[in-house]
Amino acid sequence: MSKGFAGRGTTAGRTSRRRILRLAGGALTMTALGAGLTGCEDELATGGAGSTPPPRTASPEDGKGTEDGKAPAPLWTKSTSAQTYGDNDELVAVDGVVIASGDPLAALDGATGAERWSLPGGAVPGAPLLLGAGGTLYLASGKYDGNVIGYAPASGKETWRSHLGKEYRQPRPVAVDGTQVYVIAEILEADGSSRTNVIAALNSSTGKLAWKEQRDLGTEQNGVHAAVQGRYLVYTDFKKNLTVRDTATGKQVWTQKTTKTSYGPFVVHQDLVIVPQGQRLQAFALSDGSEKWSVEAEQFTTFREPTVLDDVLYIADSGRTLRAVEPQTGKKVWQSTALKDAGAQVPRQFVRVGSTLYGATDLDEQGGVHAIDAKTGALRWTFNDKSGDFHSWLVATDGKHVFALHGKKLHALPG
């Protein structure tokens, strides 16, 4: 499993860019999109939340697949209220439950799929589900009332609440550490419009404002990915900015332009921030922004989102090469073409359970959730629900199960 959550970039304020790209890649029309969404809503309205198949008991052989390389059957499958846009922080597993961003926000029992609790209007559609060091789940209020709320994941009970102020519109959490929740919000003008935004820190015990800093004119509150490491708050945006601030004061430590726009998460590991920029994967020092190492993909290929698990960085590129890299040095641990050889889709999100790396793909055809040998990069099997849904796959793990979300279907796979 991953050690903690602070080193992962997350997103606040979704745009439709990635969704449009996925739709275009799947050759879907807007008419088909509307029909697909209506069908999903009808399924929920007509009681389609039953389990298929019924929960079964995991065996010691689960997670290894069948002898012919086929994926194991799900332990359970449920229809959900998920409203996701394909970002990694829209599905979480913690305290015995698995939660997907949606309305109502619902927590399902990780072992059985039974609903533990449900919260109407609990989350802004597509907004990140942020887990604090103490296990608190932080959300932007689904009522759009300017509140940021903390919940106990196991029970759904509210444990914390904060309000940035009436002069700001809908603050959205972007990162969290052991003492503060970091939010970005629009600054309201007298006429109700907004041309600037603010980044702020809220005390995770009292909810009081710790600091706030106005961002530069021309920056946007949408498309921000952020992560926290010690005294550094790091974030990227659609304007090609890579920025580091001091978590104690909010003051900018350094900022620089990236060579490519970063549309997905990055990672922070120890004293480095590691960002994919097209054909290059670059690592910068958190203290001053100096480049420490870089890795280049083949010509005309681009890197996808990186993930650090158990001190190994895993990343795939558009040429379907999968790499395991030492995050401190950029040195290759292994490099695999197993995905290319199998004609499989490129994974962009990873979790690890034991010796198996699970990768979730963007597109569905020849995609889904790949099970990969974490030591060699060999492809063991691929799970796909055959639904043809255009949504990206998402994965999360509680260390025992691997939860795979595809559209409104949530599957529990043996870990």
Side-chain angles (χ1 to χ4, degrees):
M1 287 186 64
S2 171
K3 298 179 180 178
F5 299 88
R8 298 185 183 181
T10 187
T11 305
R14 302 305 196 273
T15 68
S16 61
R17 181 186 298 268
R18 295 188 65 190
R19 196 173 187 181
I20 290 172
L21 290 174
R22 286 196 297 275
L23 289 173
L28 292 173
T29 65
M30 292 308 294
T31 301
L33 172 59
L37 292 177
T38 302
C40 289
E41 292 168 355
D42 290 344
E43 179 186 15
L44 293 176
T46 54
S51 60
T52 52
R56 65 181 179 85
T57 302
S59 76
E61 295 301 308
D62 281 337
K64 298 181 179 179
T66 58
E67 290 184 2
D68 57 0
K70 291 184 178 179
L75 301 174
W76 54 259
T77 295
K78 289 282 187 175
S79 292
T80 71
S81 58
Q83 296 172 304
T84 63
Y85 293 84
D87 282 289
N88 301 354
D89 46 31
E90 296 174 318
L91 180 71
V92 297
V94 63
D95 291 349
V97 299
V98 55
I99 306 169
S101 179
D103 187 10
L105 187 69
L108 304 184
D109 186 282
T112 67
E115 186 177 285
R116 288 271 198 93
W117 53 264
S118 179
L119 188 65
V124 174
L129 307 177
L130 293 183
L131 288 169
T136 301
L137 178 67
Y138 294 98
L139 304 172
S141 173
K143 296 180 180 179
Y144 298 91
D145 53 10
N147 286 312
V148 180
I149 307 173
Y151 297 93
S155 65
K157 301 295 184 183
E158 181 179 323
T159 59
W160 181 90
R161 180 180 289 251
S162 182
H163 194 281
L164 187 59
K166 62 182 180 180
E167 65 270 34
Y168 304 101
R169 180 160 52 199
Q170 193 55 27
R172 290 173 177 246
V174 294
V176 60
D177 58 21
T179 59
Q180 294 179 149
V181 181
Y182 304 90
V183 301
I184 287 183
E186 294 176 324
I187 302 174
L188 289 176
E189 304 291 338
D191 61 0
S193 66
S194 177
R195 293 184 291 275
T196 54
N197 61 86
V198 66
I199 187 164
L202 305 171
N203 187 287
S204 57
S205 296
T206 65
K208 293 182 178 180
L209 178 68
W211 53 258
K212 66 177 184 295
E213 292 288 329
Q214 183 172 324
R215 298 178 68 212
D216 293 340
L217 186 67
T219 58
E220 300 174 356
Q221 74 280 2
N222 294 321
V224 173
H225 291 76
V228 188
Q229 180 79 328
R231 61 180 286 253
Y232 301 109
L233 170 65
V234 191
Y235 56 91
T236 59
D237 60 28
F238 287 167
K239 297 291 187 179
K240 297 184 181 180
N241 294 308
L242 172 60
T243 304
V244 175
R245 290 183 181 271
D246 190 298
T247 56
T249 65
K251 299 301 181 183
Q252 188 170 285
V253 179
W254 58 266
T255 188
Q256 65 184 39
K257 289 290 183 179
T258 57
T259 57
K260 298 287 185 180
T261 298
S262 178
Y263 293 111
F266 55 87
V267 294
V268 173
H269 181 74
Q270 296 182 15
D271 58 349
L272 298 178
V273 52
I274 305 168
V275 184
Q277 298 187 69
Q279 192 179 339
R280 298 184 72 194
L281 178 68
Q282 291 179 282
F284 302 97
L286 283 174
S287 59
D288 59 12
S290 59
E291 183 178 313
K292 293 301 181 181
W293 58 259
S294 68
V295 173
E296 288 200 12
E298 293 182 2
Q299 191 175 13
F300 307 122
T301 61
T302 57
F303 280 112
R304 303 302 305 271
E305 295 92 328
T307 304
V308 172
L309 302 168
D310 298 324
D311 295 323
V312 178
L313 184 147
Y314 299 99
I315 191 167
D317 63 38
S318 60
R320 292 182 288 189
T321 296
L322 182 62
R323 293 172 173 81
V325 175
E326 292 180 359
Q328 280 302 108
T329 64
K331 293 181 179 179
K332 179 175 66 177
V333 178
W334 52 255
Q335 185 169 309
S336 170
T337 60
L339 298 174
K340 184 187 300 184
D341 298 340
Q345 288 288 352
V346 179
R348 48 155 198 85
Q349 182 197 10
F350 299 97
V351 297
R352 180 174 173 174
V353 181
S355 64
T356 303
L357 185 69
Y358 298 87
T361 69
D362 231 355
L363 301 176
D364 186 55
E365 187 178 354
Q366 296 298 311
V369 175
H370 300 313
I372 300 160
D373 189 312
K375 294 183 178 180
T376 66
L379 179 63
R380 292 176 173 172
W381 47 261
T382 298
F383 172 80
N384 193 298
D385 58 12
K386 308 300 182 183
S387 69
D389 191 292
F390 63 86
H391 283 87
S392 294
W393 286 81
L394 297 175
V395 288
T397 184
D398 59 4
K400 297 179 181 179
H401 313 91
V402 174
F403 302 102
L405 180 67
H406 189 213
K408 292 183 179 293
K409 291 291 186 182
L410 181 61
H411 311 274
L413 304 176

